[in-house]
Short mmCIF file of all heavy atoms in Angstrom, two decimals:
data_model
loop_
_atom_site.label_atom_id
_atom_site.label_comp_id
_atom_site.label_asym_id
_atom_site.label_seq_id
_atom_site.Cartn_x
_atom_site.Cartn_y
_atom_site.Cartn_z
N MET A 8 95.58 99.80 109.91
CA MET A 8 94.76 100.49 110.89
C MET A 8 94.94 99.93 112.27
O MET A 8 94.53 100.54 113.24
CB MET A 8 93.28 100.38 110.51
CG MET A 8 92.90 101.18 109.29
SD MET A 8 91.14 101.12 109.02
CE MET A 8 91.00 102.09 107.55
N LYS A 9 95.47 98.76 112.41
CA LYS A 9 95.51 98.15 113.72
C LYS A 9 96.89 98.20 114.33
O LYS A 9 97.59 97.22 114.42
CB LYS A 9 94.98 96.72 113.65
CG LYS A 9 93.50 96.73 113.36
CD LYS A 9 92.93 95.37 113.47
CE LYS A 9 91.42 95.44 113.25
NZ LYS A 9 90.82 94.14 113.24
N ASP A 10 97.28 99.38 114.75
CA ASP A 10 98.54 99.52 115.46
C ASP A 10 98.35 99.27 116.95
O ASP A 10 99.29 99.23 117.70
CB ASP A 10 99.09 100.93 115.28
CG ASP A 10 99.58 101.15 113.88
OD1 ASP A 10 99.94 100.18 113.21
OD2 ASP A 10 99.58 102.30 113.46
N SER A 11 97.11 99.15 117.40
CA SER A 11 96.85 98.93 118.81
C SER A 11 95.75 97.90 118.90
O SER A 11 95.95 96.78 118.54
CB SER A 11 96.46 100.24 119.45
OG SER A 11 95.37 100.79 118.78
N ILE A 12 94.58 98.31 119.38
CA ILE A 12 93.44 97.46 119.07
C ILE A 12 93.28 97.56 117.57
O ILE A 12 93.10 96.62 116.87
CB ILE A 12 92.17 97.91 119.80
CG1 ILE A 12 92.23 97.49 121.24
CG2 ILE A 12 90.98 97.23 119.20
CD1 ILE A 12 91.01 97.82 122.02
N SER A 13 93.36 98.77 117.10
CA SER A 13 93.45 99.08 115.68
C SER A 13 93.67 100.57 115.59
O SER A 13 93.54 101.28 116.55
CB SER A 13 92.19 98.67 114.94
OG SER A 13 91.10 99.40 115.44
N SER A 14 93.98 101.04 114.40
CA SER A 14 94.24 102.46 114.26
C SER A 14 94.03 102.88 112.83
O SER A 14 94.25 102.10 111.92
CB SER A 14 95.66 102.76 114.68
OG SER A 14 96.00 104.09 114.37
N THR A 15 93.62 104.11 112.62
CA THR A 15 93.44 104.61 111.27
C THR A 15 94.64 105.40 110.79
O THR A 15 94.63 105.92 109.70
CB THR A 15 92.20 105.51 111.20
OG1 THR A 15 92.34 106.54 112.17
CG2 THR A 15 90.95 104.72 111.45
N GLY A 16 95.68 105.47 111.57
CA GLY A 16 96.86 106.22 111.18
C GLY A 16 98.09 105.35 111.20
O GLY A 16 98.06 104.22 111.64
N SER A 17 99.18 105.89 110.70
CA SER A 17 100.41 105.12 110.62
C SER A 17 101.34 105.39 111.79
O SER A 17 102.44 104.86 111.83
CB SER A 17 101.13 105.46 109.31
OG SER A 17 101.40 106.84 109.24
N THR A 18 100.91 106.23 112.73
CA THR A 18 101.76 106.50 113.88
C THR A 18 101.52 105.48 114.97
O THR A 18 100.63 104.66 114.89
CB THR A 18 101.46 107.91 114.42
OG1 THR A 18 100.08 107.98 114.76
CG2 THR A 18 101.77 108.95 113.37
N GLY A 19 102.29 105.57 116.05
CA GLY A 19 102.15 104.64 117.16
C GLY A 19 100.81 104.78 117.84
O GLY A 19 100.09 105.75 117.65
N SER A 20 100.47 103.80 118.68
CA SER A 20 99.16 103.79 119.29
C SER A 20 99.27 103.66 120.79
O SER A 20 100.30 103.27 121.31
CB SER A 20 98.37 102.59 118.76
OG SER A 20 98.87 101.43 119.35
N PRO A 21 98.17 103.96 121.51
CA PRO A 21 98.21 103.85 122.96
C PRO A 21 98.20 102.42 123.45
O PRO A 21 98.54 102.16 124.59
CB PRO A 21 96.93 104.57 123.38
CG PRO A 21 96.02 104.42 122.23
CD PRO A 21 96.90 104.49 121.03
N TRP A 22 97.80 101.48 122.60
CA TRP A 22 97.67 100.10 123.04
C TRP A 22 98.96 99.32 122.86
O TRP A 22 99.26 98.44 123.63
CB TRP A 22 96.58 99.40 122.23
CG TRP A 22 95.23 99.74 122.69
CD1 TRP A 22 94.51 100.86 122.37
CD2 TRP A 22 94.39 98.99 123.55
NE1 TRP A 22 93.30 100.83 122.98
CE2 TRP A 22 93.20 99.70 123.70
CE3 TRP A 22 94.55 97.77 124.21
CZ2 TRP A 22 92.16 99.23 124.49
CZ3 TRP A 22 93.51 97.31 124.98
CH2 TRP A 22 92.33 98.04 125.13
N GLU A 23 99.68 99.61 121.81
CA GLU A 23 100.82 98.74 121.49
C GLU A 23 101.94 99.56 120.89
O GLU A 23 101.88 99.95 119.74
CB GLU A 23 100.38 97.66 120.49
CG GLU A 23 101.41 96.57 120.30
CD GLU A 23 101.69 95.86 121.60
OE1 GLU A 23 100.85 95.11 122.09
OE2 GLU A 23 102.80 96.06 122.12
N TYR A 30 101.96 92.88 119.03
CA TYR A 30 100.54 93.23 119.05
C TYR A 30 99.70 91.97 118.95
O TYR A 30 98.76 91.75 119.72
CB TYR A 30 100.21 94.17 117.88
CG TYR A 30 98.74 94.18 117.55
CD1 TYR A 30 97.85 94.93 118.30
CD2 TYR A 30 98.25 93.40 116.50
CE1 TYR A 30 96.50 94.91 118.01
CE2 TYR A 30 96.90 93.38 116.21
CZ TYR A 30 96.03 94.14 116.96
OH TYR A 30 94.69 94.11 116.67
N VAL A 67 88.04 96.16 106.58
CA VAL A 67 88.58 97.50 106.81
C VAL A 67 89.31 97.49 108.16
O VAL A 67 88.70 97.29 109.21
CB VAL A 67 87.47 98.55 106.79
CG1 VAL A 67 88.05 99.94 107.07
CG2 VAL A 67 86.73 98.53 105.46
N GLY A 68 90.62 97.68 108.12
CA GLY A 68 91.45 97.52 109.30
C GLY A 68 91.94 96.09 109.40
O GLY A 68 91.79 95.44 110.43
N ALA A 69 92.54 95.59 108.31
CA ALA A 69 92.93 94.18 108.22
C ALA A 69 94.27 93.87 108.87
O ALA A 69 94.67 92.71 108.92
CB ALA A 69 92.97 93.74 106.75
N GLY A 70 94.96 94.89 109.39
CA GLY A 70 96.28 94.68 109.97
C GLY A 70 96.26 93.67 111.10
O GLY A 70 95.40 93.73 111.98
N GLY A 71 97.20 92.75 111.09
CA GLY A 71 97.23 91.66 112.06
C GLY A 71 96.57 90.40 111.53
O GLY A 71 96.95 89.29 111.88
N GLU A 74 90.61 89.01 111.46
CA GLU A 74 89.32 88.78 110.83
C GLU A 74 89.42 87.74 109.73
O GLU A 74 88.64 86.79 109.65
CB GLU A 74 88.75 90.08 110.27
CG GLU A 74 88.38 91.09 111.32
CD GLU A 74 89.52 92.06 111.62
OE1 GLU A 74 90.69 91.62 111.63
OE2 GLU A 74 89.23 93.25 111.86
N LEU A 90 92.13 96.08 103.87
CA LEU A 90 92.71 97.41 103.80
C LEU A 90 93.28 97.80 105.15
O LEU A 90 92.69 97.51 106.19
CB LEU A 90 91.65 98.46 103.42
CG LEU A 90 91.29 98.64 101.96
CD1 LEU A 90 90.76 97.36 101.33
CD2 LEU A 90 90.26 99.77 101.80
N ASP A 91 94.43 98.48 105.14
CA ASP A 91 95.01 99.01 106.37
C ASP A 91 95.98 100.12 106.02
O ASP A 91 96.60 100.08 104.95
CB ASP A 91 95.71 97.91 107.17
CG ASP A 91 95.72 98.20 108.66
OD1 ASP A 91 96.40 99.15 109.07
OD2 ASP A 91 95.03 97.49 109.41
N THR A 92 96.14 101.07 106.92
CA THR A 92 97.08 102.17 106.69
C THR A 92 98.44 101.91 107.32
O THR A 92 99.36 102.72 107.15
CB THR A 92 96.52 103.49 107.22
OG1 THR A 92 96.26 103.36 108.62
CG2 THR A 92 95.24 103.87 106.50
N SER A 93 98.59 100.81 108.05
CA SER A 93 99.87 100.48 108.68
C SER A 93 100.57 99.37 107.89
O SER A 93 100.09 98.23 107.86
CB SER A 93 99.65 100.03 110.12
OG SER A 93 100.83 99.45 110.64
N GLN A 94 101.69 99.70 107.28
CA GLN A 94 102.43 98.71 106.51
C GLN A 94 102.94 97.58 107.40
O GLN A 94 102.90 96.41 107.02
CB GLN A 94 103.61 99.37 105.80
CG GLN A 94 104.35 98.44 104.83
CD GLN A 94 103.48 98.05 103.64
OE1 GLN A 94 103.02 98.91 102.90
NE2 GLN A 94 103.24 96.78 103.46
N MET A 96 101.62 96.38 110.16
CA MET A 96 100.54 95.48 110.53
C MET A 96 100.09 94.63 109.35
O MET A 96 99.72 93.47 109.51
CB MET A 96 99.37 96.27 111.10
CG MET A 96 99.68 96.95 112.43
SD MET A 96 100.25 95.80 113.71
CE MET A 96 98.79 94.79 113.93
N HIS A 117 97.54 98.61 101.14
CA HIS A 117 98.03 99.63 102.06
C HIS A 117 97.41 100.96 101.66
O HIS A 117 97.97 101.74 100.87
CB HIS A 117 99.56 99.68 102.00
CG HIS A 117 100.17 100.67 102.94
ND1 HIS A 117 101.33 101.35 102.65
CD2 HIS A 117 99.79 101.09 104.17
CE1 HIS A 117 101.64 102.15 103.66
NE2 HIS A 117 100.70 102.01 104.59
N THR A 118 96.23 101.27 102.19
CA THR A 118 95.50 102.44 101.76
C THR A 118 94.37 102.78 102.71
O THR A 118 93.92 101.93 103.49
CB THR A 118 94.91 102.22 100.34
OG1 THR A 118 94.26 103.40 99.89
CG2 THR A 118 93.90 101.08 100.35
N GLU A 119 93.91 104.03 102.65
CA GLU A 119 92.65 104.43 103.25
C GLU A 119 91.52 104.01 102.31
O GLU A 119 91.67 104.08 101.09
CB GLU A 119 92.62 105.95 103.45
CG GLU A 119 93.61 106.48 104.44
CD GLU A 119 93.07 106.49 105.86
OE1 GLU A 119 91.96 105.97 106.07
OE2 GLU A 119 93.77 107.01 106.75
N CYS A 134 84.61 95.91 110.16
CA CYS A 134 85.39 97.08 110.61
C CYS A 134 85.53 96.93 112.12
O CYS A 134 84.83 97.57 112.89
CB CYS A 134 84.67 98.37 110.23
SG CYS A 134 85.59 99.88 110.63
N MET A 135 86.44 96.09 112.53
CA MET A 135 86.56 95.68 113.92
C MET A 135 87.66 96.48 114.63
O MET A 135 88.81 96.51 114.20
CB MET A 135 86.86 94.19 114.00
CG MET A 135 85.85 93.29 113.26
SD MET A 135 84.21 93.29 114.00
CE MET A 135 84.51 92.24 115.43
N LEU A 136 87.26 97.12 115.73
CA LEU A 136 88.21 97.83 116.59
C LEU A 136 88.97 98.92 115.85
O LEU A 136 90.18 99.08 116.00
CB LEU A 136 89.18 96.82 117.23
CG LEU A 136 88.51 95.74 118.09
CD1 LEU A 136 89.52 94.67 118.48
CD2 LEU A 136 87.85 96.33 119.32
N VAL A 137 88.24 99.69 115.07
CA VAL A 137 88.83 100.74 114.24
C VAL A 137 88.19 102.10 114.50
O VAL A 137 88.88 103.11 114.63
CB VAL A 137 88.68 100.39 112.73
CG1 VAL A 137 89.06 101.57 111.85
CG2 VAL A 137 89.51 99.17 112.38
N LEU A 138 86.87 102.15 114.62
CA LEU A 138 86.14 103.41 114.54
C LEU A 138 86.55 104.41 115.61
O LEU A 138 86.54 105.63 115.37
CB LEU A 138 84.63 103.15 114.61
CG LEU A 138 83.72 104.31 114.25
CD1 LEU A 138 83.86 104.67 112.77
CD2 LEU A 138 82.27 103.99 114.58
N HIS A 139 86.92 103.94 116.79
CA HIS A 139 87.27 104.88 117.86
C HIS A 139 88.56 105.64 117.58
O HIS A 139 88.85 106.63 118.26
CB HIS A 139 87.36 104.16 119.22
CG HIS A 139 88.17 102.92 119.20
ND1 HIS A 139 87.62 101.68 118.93
CD2 HIS A 139 89.48 102.70 119.43
CE1 HIS A 139 88.56 100.76 119.00
NE2 HIS A 139 89.70 101.35 119.29
N PHE A 140 89.34 105.21 116.60
CA PHE A 140 90.56 105.93 116.27
C PHE A 140 90.32 107.03 115.23
O PHE A 140 91.25 107.77 114.90
CB PHE A 140 91.64 104.97 115.77
CG PHE A 140 92.23 104.15 116.87
CD1 PHE A 140 91.88 102.82 117.02
CD2 PHE A 140 93.13 104.70 117.78
CE1 PHE A 140 92.42 102.06 118.04
CE2 PHE A 140 93.66 103.95 118.81
CZ PHE A 140 93.30 102.62 118.93
N VAL A 141 89.11 107.12 114.73
CA VAL A 141 88.75 108.18 113.79
C VAL A 141 88.19 109.35 114.58
O VAL A 141 87.24 109.20 115.35
CB VAL A 141 87.72 107.68 112.76
CG1 VAL A 141 87.34 108.79 111.81
CG2 VAL A 141 88.27 106.47 112.00
N LYS A 142 88.75 110.53 114.39
CA LYS A 142 88.38 111.70 115.19
C LYS A 142 87.18 112.42 114.59
O LYS A 142 87.18 112.77 113.41
CB LYS A 142 89.57 112.66 115.28
CG LYS A 142 89.31 113.86 116.19
CD LYS A 142 90.54 114.73 116.31
CE LYS A 142 90.30 115.90 117.25
NZ LYS A 142 91.51 116.75 117.39
N LEU A 150 83.82 107.51 106.95
CA LEU A 150 84.37 106.16 106.86
C LEU A 150 83.26 105.14 106.64
O LEU A 150 83.36 104.28 105.75
CB LEU A 150 85.14 105.83 108.13
CG LEU A 150 85.61 104.38 108.28
CD1 LEU A 150 86.61 104.01 107.19
CD2 LEU A 150 86.20 104.12 109.66
N THR A 209 94.50 110.20 120.90
CA THR A 209 94.61 109.30 119.74
C THR A 209 93.38 108.39 119.60
O THR A 209 93.25 107.69 118.61
CB THR A 209 95.86 108.41 119.85
OG1 THR A 209 95.80 107.67 121.07
CG2 THR A 209 97.12 109.25 119.82
N SER A 210 92.52 108.41 120.58
CA SER A 210 91.31 107.58 120.55
C SER A 210 90.12 108.48 120.88
O SER A 210 90.18 109.29 121.82
CB SER A 210 91.43 106.45 121.58
OG SER A 210 90.30 105.62 121.54
N HIS A 211 89.04 108.32 120.11
CA HIS A 211 87.93 109.26 120.18
C HIS A 211 86.59 108.52 120.21
O HIS A 211 85.84 108.52 119.22
CB HIS A 211 87.99 110.23 119.00
CG HIS A 211 89.34 110.85 118.81
ND1 HIS A 211 89.76 111.95 119.53
CD2 HIS A 211 90.38 110.49 118.01
CE1 HIS A 211 91.00 112.26 119.16
NE2 HIS A 211 91.40 111.39 118.25
#
Side-chain angles (χ1 to χ4, degrees):
M8 290 185 181
K9 291 188 177 176
D10 289 334
S11 56
I12 283 183
S13 63
S14 171
T15 55
S17 58
T18 58
S20 74
W22 282 81
E23 191 60 71
Y30 160 80
V67 179
E74 293 92 322
L90 278 59
D91 208 292
T92 59
S93 168
Q94 187 66 59
M96 294 303 296
H117 182 213
T118 183
E119 294 272 6
C134 184
M135 305 292 284
L136 301 171
V137 170
L138 193 66
H139 48 270
F140 287 104
V141 179
K142 184 177 182 179
L150 171 64
T209 58
S210 182
H211 310 278

